Amino acid sequence: QVQLVESGGGLVQAGGSLKLSCDASGGTFSSYALGWFRQAPGKEREFVAAINWSGGMIRYADSVKGRFTISRDNAKNTVYLQMNSLKPEDTAVYFCAANGAFYIASDSALRYDYWGQGTQVTVSS
């Protein structure tokens, strides 16, 4: 059983930056691929970014390419999401998730076995 705890959310002006962290415990961190998803009010949860166990495979949603960067530190059991050039449409609750198929960076929420509680990101215009 893997526990995931997100942090780093908050309120930021458009054009600003935030860095989200997700700390994992209860499992072998390097055995999991990790993903970030987000859910805005009234909308379905959507894929943001994913990284496989080694960092050798990374995938981004088109809406965040060039602005967001996912990374992981297996020694610290932590995955990060650096978010730059934030837009009001990035406002959402951001969730990290762990996928036991460690070798792929999947964009499908159905592939993820464990989820954090989420952290709110609000971007003002």
Side-chain angles (χ1 to χ4, degrees), residues 44-102:
E44 293 191 354
R45 191 170 297 190
E46 66 173 359
F47 169 74
V48 176
I51 186 169
N52 76 338
W53 72 280
S54 66
M57 179 185 293
I58 288 176
R59 184 176 295 183
Y60 295 100
D62 289 342
S63 59
V64 307
K65 277 181 184 175
R67 300 188 298 122
F68 291 11
T69 302
I70 189 171
S71 61
R72 66 188 293 164
D73 186 336
N74 287 345
K76 295 183 177 180
N77 290 357
T78 303
V79 60
Y80 305 98
L81 185 69
Q82 177 67 48
M83 305 185 295
N84 298 330
S85 302
L86 283 160
K87 305 175 181 180
E89 51 263 44
D90 294 318
T91 295
V93 177
Y94 283 71
F95 299 88
C96 71
N99 172 8
F102 61 92

